[in-house]
Amino acid sequence: MNQYWSRRIRDVVPYTPGEQPRDRKFIKLNTNECPYPPSPKALEAIQAAAGEGLRLYPDPECLELRAAIARREGLDISQVFCGNGSDEILAFAFQAFFDPEREVVFPKITYSFYPVYTDFFGLGRREVPMNADFSDPIDLLCGQNGGVVLANPNAPTGIAVGLDTVEKLLTANPDVVVIVDEAYIDFGGDSAVELIGRYPNLLVVQTASKSRALAGLRVGWAMGDPELIDGLRCVRDSINSYTVDRLAQAGAAAAIEDERYFQSIRRRVMDTREHTEKVLKEKGFTVLPSQANFLFVSHSEHSGKELLDGLRAQGVLVRWWDKPEIKNWLRISIGTDKDMKALVKALCELI
């Protein structure tokens, strides 16, 4: 069946994305998408860019987009790299900074693309067991490794660590790159961007998909020492120099510059998350403390798969993993207030 595949991919288990239904209408709380539309200024910029210029290749260096990010974060443009979504940037980083003979380390319960990358790129890895409360096992990520990857806040748990913890990782691993994946940082966490000037081994990765409501545009960026940015550029230009298209660059730059809109929708998501957490706890559910745009939820008398299937039957999609440590937990994206009321109603009927 796979006789023509290379040896590198024959045993790889690809990442499984969240379901994108086509056959019926669901309340979609399974992929951490923003429940609100993008900034009107981003939509205007995309429309303006959709002209005759599409016959030309986009700017391979994403200069305007990088400049917008650099201005917002107080960085030099040489400290910013843009790519076709943060997943692409993470893939570039795994190739640029990690060697096969040294293990990459990350928590065992985290973003499930990380082990896919190590398998695909032929890298060794060590997945460190979580603490009993699902917090990150920071001490076990310090030293004796070829690189560290930390999702902060973590996915799927939603738990975040503070900057003191990030600094502990950076100082304990001075000779390897520490990647801090901040896909959900805008929903209550503390960004490590302010540490970049002091730690040349720090790479911070962010995305426009969540807090800027541009998942369909596929834009992400990395921030770090110029030497790390050059490493990412080396990988990119060895594969495809034109990764971010004209429309994506224009829309993402406008979204980043529209600070007022960004603040308004992130606050709405956070308020809904906090209210939903309170209600679910009152109904007897266990909910981990989240600083992301989702909640990690379980019930002592009902399995995760039972709740998953029951919710789907009622038209609500959430995310579940068949892993021993988290098989009785659901990751529930934060939707509109109306969406979350429907979720709570459905859950209450199931229990």
Side-chain angles (χ1 to χ4, degrees), residues 6 50 55 133 170-171 196 223 260 291 304:
S6 74
R55 67 184 178 83
D133 61 356
L170 291 164
T171 56
I196 287 173
M223 296 167 284
R260 178 178 295 181
Q291 291 182 281

Side-chain angles (χ1 to χ4, degrees), residues 14-230:
Y15 173 77
T16 302
E19 180 181 0
Q20 297 284 358
R22 294 181 177 88
D23 57 337
R24 58 178 282 201
K25 185 174 179 62
F26 287 92
I27 295 174
K28 201 167 171 299
L29 306 176
N30 64 328
T31 49
N32 298 341
E33 293 149 324
C34 183
Y36 304 110
S39 159
K41 293 181 180 179
L43 298 179
E44 291 172 6
I46 293 168
Q47 291 168 354
E52 184 269 343
L54 288 179
R55 67 184 178 83
L56 303 173
Y57 284 112
D59 174 11
E61 293 299 330
C62 304
L63 289 176
E64 290 187 13
L65 175 54
R66 289 168 59 209
I69 296 166
R71 283 193 298 271
R72 184 180 189 276
E73 302 295 346
L75 299 173
D76 186 82
I77 195 171
S78 67
Q79 296 172 298
V80 181
F81 176 90
C82 293
N84 187 37
S86 60
D87 286 337
E88 179 182 76
I89 291 176
L90 288 166
F92 288 171
F94 273 61
Q95 295 172 84
F97 308 125
F98 302 148
D99 292 316
E101 63 271 14
R102 302 187 67 191
E103 291 180 326
V104 182
V105 298
F106 44 82
K108 188 171 185 180
I109 303 301
T110 191
Y111 186 28
S112 51
F113 232 138
Y114 303 157
V116 174
Y117 289 142
T118 56
D119 287 346
F120 187 78
F121 298 124
L123 301 170
R125 70 171 182 267
R126 185 169 75 252
E127 299 178 61
V128 179
M130 310 299 287
N131 296 326
D133 61 356
F134 286 109
S135 60
D136 288 316
I138 297 300
D139 288 343
L140 299 179
L141 300 175
C142 294
Q144 302 300 312
N145 63 70
V148 180
V149 187
L150 182 76
N152 188 39
N154 193 25
T157 65
I159 297 174
V161 300
L163 292 185
D164 56 338
T165 300
V166 176
E167 283 202 83
K168 180 177 180 178
L169 284 176
L170 291 164
T171 56
N173 300 285
D175 300 321
V176 300
V177 172
V178 175
I179 299 174
V180 181
D181 182 355
E182 294 188 345
Y184 305 102
I185 198 67
D186 295 323
F187 300 104
D190 296 321
S191 176
V193 169
E194 66 180 69
L195 303 178
I196 287 173
R198 289 150 51 194
Y199 296 96
N201 60 326
L202 169 63
L203 187 76
V204 178
V205 180
Q206 295 184 1
T207 177
S209 295
K210 317 299 182 185
S211 58
R212 289 179 175 80
L214 291 173
L217 214 57
R218 309 309 302 129
V219 176
W221 53 91
M223 296 167 284
D225 187 87
E227 183 177 333
L228 299 185
I229 301 305
D230 286 345

